């Protein structure tokens, strides 16, 4: 599987882990920690810089004892940080580290117990420009390298996600689970299905586990809390549905995202690249030969609530946000935090009047928007609400943020594209006539009151999408042509050229026809003239005879 002349970079990463991470770990943990990188056959034509191997990446599963972390739990970011090229800055050590098992944290402020999400949101919105730029650069660089590699994971647990409210797919979910649990597989996989399948008559878990006693221990069930708090339990995600099911997978894994392989069982299929009819061969090749991963940019959105004041001083959102950056006056506090794959929309909601939204970029006030709303989309989400609102199509590998107004009350507001290193703020001014509403990937509608705003920035947790082998750029163009009929029209017919001899003959024949037509018309005119003259003479002769 390695190209000729290319070095063999296949090794177990667990061999290079620090000693303190090995202590206290079970054999199953060591198995799950292994990863293998295999180059494609066309690797010989790539530059040497594309051959990258992590030296000492950190494991995704945290140690059983709580210790101060110095590296990210996300395997992708760990590989970026530990790359031996020495070109990427070590960003994650400067950022807040997430303990998947820890739900609360004691702040240094009066010993008060603060929810973990609030602490994380506060630190995310205070990233410096350099930290955000370095983080985006690291993810971007790793995404390019992963596009030229096959990552061969030692997969043990598989997370099955089925399209919601579609009974026809429950039977297919059972088939995939049964195939994975079968003893014909080379690895005794642990299969997680949604907890609603436990009592589902179509899935019939009892009859499935009755086929083999080992199925009972290896068939497990997941819920939203398990996926959110313990993503390290899953090595691989398989979705059965459409693009909405993939978005739901991104919603479930709000931090570390396992590689997601999606079977096309929906309507469109921008993100679902694999045919379900061939799922056995697809999964066999993915587990045996490795997968190509496309890292999709995600946004981190934080809802910021305005502090209530006792004074009667007139408030101005623009002055508060710019002033907060200057003199550190705490005018807002974080409320909710979300990782999204498609878009964040701030709109007027059920209000009959249009929204007034203040738009900030980094530390500057960009403009005041009066419209039905604003859609801020990732490149992946450019084909969704952004497209319907008149925004541009964008290749998913572009590191950009797309900003599109929804029915703006002006002729001059056109969609804009910003770099992914900018931090956007969308706020409701204090003098707005009505409240606004924010939605995140079409979920979690949250009301924004005057003075509230939403921060949007590139996330440190990209979405790992498994891609079929082939050219990714060509695949994206084919997807928009297939699903949206992009630039589809009947081709214009070409001119039918002829040679010079045939052209001269045709011209001569046409001139001859004209001469013959002129002669014919002249003859008919002459006959009519002489015929009329003869008729007049006959009339005169008849009159003379009758008079005599």
């Amino acid at each position: 599987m390695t190209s000729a002349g290319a070095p063999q970079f296949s090794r177990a990463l667990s061999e290079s882990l620090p000693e303190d991470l090995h202590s206290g770990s079970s054999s199953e943990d060591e198995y799950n920690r292994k990863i293998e990188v295999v180059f494609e056959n066309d690797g010989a034509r790539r530059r040497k810089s594309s051959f990258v191997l992590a030296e000492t990446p950190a494991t995704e599963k945290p140690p059983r004892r709580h210790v101060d972390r110095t590296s990210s739990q996300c395997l992708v970011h760990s590989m970026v940080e530990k790359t031996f090229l020495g070109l990427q800055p070590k960003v994650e050590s400067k950022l807040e580290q997430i303990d998947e098992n820890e739900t609360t944290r004691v702040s240094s402020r009066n010993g008060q117990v603060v929810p973990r999400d609030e602490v994380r949101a506060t630190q995310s919105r205070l990233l410096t420009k350099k930290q955000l730029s370095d983080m985006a650069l690291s993810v971007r660089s790793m995404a390019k390298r992963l596009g030229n590699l096959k990552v061969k994971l030692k997969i043990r647990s598989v997370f099955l996600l089925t399209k919601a409210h579609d009974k026809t797919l429950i039977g297919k979910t059972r088939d995939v689970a049964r195939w994975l649990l079968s003893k014909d597989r080379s690895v005794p996989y642990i299969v997680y299905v949604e907890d609603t399948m436990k009592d589902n008559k179509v899935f019939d878990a009892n009859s499935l586990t009755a086929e083999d006693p080992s199925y009972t221990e290896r068939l497990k069930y997941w819920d939203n809390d398990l996926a959110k708090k313990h993503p390290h339990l899953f090595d691989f995600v398989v979705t059965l549905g459409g693009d909405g099911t993939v978005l739901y997978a991104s919603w479930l894994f709000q931090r570390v995202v396992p590689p997601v392989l999606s079977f096309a069982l929906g309507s469109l299929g921008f993100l679902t690249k694999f045919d379900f009819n061939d799922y056995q061969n697809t999964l066999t090749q993915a587990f045996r030969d490795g997968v190509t991963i496309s890292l999709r940019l995600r946004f981190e959105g934080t809802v910021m609530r305005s502090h209530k004041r006792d004074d009667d001083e007139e408030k101005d959102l623009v002055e508060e946000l710019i002033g907060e950056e200057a003199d550190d006056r705490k005018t807002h506090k974080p409320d909710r935090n979300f990782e999204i794959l498609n878009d964040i929309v701030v709109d007027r909601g059920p209000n009959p009047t249009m929204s007034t939204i203040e738009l900030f970029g980094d530390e500057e006030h960009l403009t005041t928007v009066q419209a039905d709303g604003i859609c801020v989309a990732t490149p992946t989400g450019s084909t969704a609400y952004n497209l319907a609102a008149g925004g541009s199509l964008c290749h998913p590998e572009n590191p950009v943020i797309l900003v599109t107004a929804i029915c703006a009350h002006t002729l001059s507001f056109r969609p804009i594209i910003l770099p992914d290193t900018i931090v956007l703020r969308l706020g409701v001014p204090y003098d707005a006539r009505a409240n606004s509403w924010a939605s995140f990937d079409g979920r979690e509608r949250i009301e924004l009151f005057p003075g509230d705003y939403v921060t949007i920035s590139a996330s440190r947790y990209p979405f790992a999408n498994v891609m079929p082998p082939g050219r990714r750029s060509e695949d994206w163009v084919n997807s928009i042509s297939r699903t949206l009929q992009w630039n589809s029209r009947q081709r214009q017919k070409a001119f039918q050229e002829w040679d010079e001899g045939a052209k001269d003959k045709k011209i001569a024949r046409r001139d001859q026809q004209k001469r013959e037509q002129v002669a014919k018309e002249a003859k008919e005119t002459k006959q009519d003239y002489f015929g009329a003259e003869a008729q007049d003479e006959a009339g005169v002769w008849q009159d003379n005879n009758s008079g005599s």
Side-chain angles (χ1 to χ4, degrees), residues 388-539:
S392 174
L393 292 173
C394 182
H395 194 280
E397 293 183 4
N398 286 324
V400 295
I401 300 174
L402 295 91
V403 181
T404 305
I406 304 171
C407 298
H409 196 247
T410 175
L411 297 176
S412 57
F413 195 109
R414 290 293 178 262
I416 57 176
I417 299 177
L418 302 173
D420 64 347
T421 56
I422 195 172
V423 178
L424 292 180
R425 292 178 175 89
L426 279 67
V428 182
Y430 286 103
D431 59 353
R433 292 187 177 183
N435 300 337
S436 295
W437 291 75
S439 63
F440 303 84
D441 271 350
R443 299 174 180 270
E444 291 290 342
R445 296 278 290 173
I446 296 178
E447 188 172 8
L448 300 178
F449 302 95
D452 298 342
Y453 68 92
V454 177
T455 66
I456 304 173
S457 59
S459 171
R460 78 191 72 172
Y461 301 109
F463 184 83
N465 189 35
V466 176
M467 301 292 292
R471 301 178 64 88
R472 289 189 292 177
S473 297
E474 182 180 351
D475 178 77
W476 181 76
V477 174
N478 291 338
S479 68
I480 63 174
S481 300
R482 181 185 72 256
T483 56
L484 299 176
Q485 302 299 314
W486 175 70
N487 195 34
S488 178
R489 71 177 298 272
Q490 185 177 358
R491 187 181 180 89
Q492 189 178 32
K493 294 182 179 179
F495 290 117
Q496 299 294 330
E497 298 291 344
W498 54 79
D499 54 44
E500 293 297 329
K503 182 177 180 180
D504 294 340
K505 291 180 181 179
K506 186 172 183 179
I507 294 175
R509 185 165 58 253
R510 185 177 56 191
D511 293 343
Q512 180 64 25
Q513 290 176 352
K514 288 184 178 180
R515 288 195 295 270
E516 292 176 354
Q517 181 68 21
V518 171
K520 182 179 180 182
E521 293 176 355
K523 184 177 179 180
E524 292 176 352
T525 304
K526 184 176 181 181
Q527 289 178 352
D528 294 341
Y529 173 77
F530 286 109
E533 186 179 16
Q535 187 175 3
D536 292 343
E537 291 179 354

Side-chain angles (χ1 to χ4, degrees), residues 116-133:
R116 180 63 158 161
D117 291 340
E118 181 173 330
V119 175
R120 178 175 182 264
T122 302
Q123 295 193 5
S124 296
R125 60 181 285 270
L126 294 178
L127 288 180
T128 65
K129 185 70 174 178
K130 183 179 184 304
Q131 285 176 330
L132 185 60
S133 300

Side-chain angles (χ1 to χ4, degrees), residues 243 247 270-271 296-299 340-345 375-398 400-404 441 476 480 484:
D243 292 339
L247 289 178
F270 291 104
L271 299 173
R296 299 293 185 101
L297 170 67
R298 292 205 297 178
F299 287 162
I340 64 100
L341 180 60
N342 252 10
D343 48 45
I344 296 175
V345 178
C375 176
V376 181
T378 66
T380 299
S382 67
T383 55
Y385 201 165
N386 169 78
L387 178 63
S392 174
L393 292 173
C394 182
H395 194 280
E397 293 183 4
N398 286 324
V400 295
I401 300 174
L402 295 91
V403 181
T404 305
D441 271 350
W476 181 76
I480 63 174
L484 299 176

Side-chain angles (χ1 to χ4, degrees), residues 67-78:
V67 294
D68 294 335
R69 300 186 181 282
T70 58
S71 61
S72 172
Q73 292 186 88
C74 178
L75 180 61
V76 174
H77 288 277
S78 298

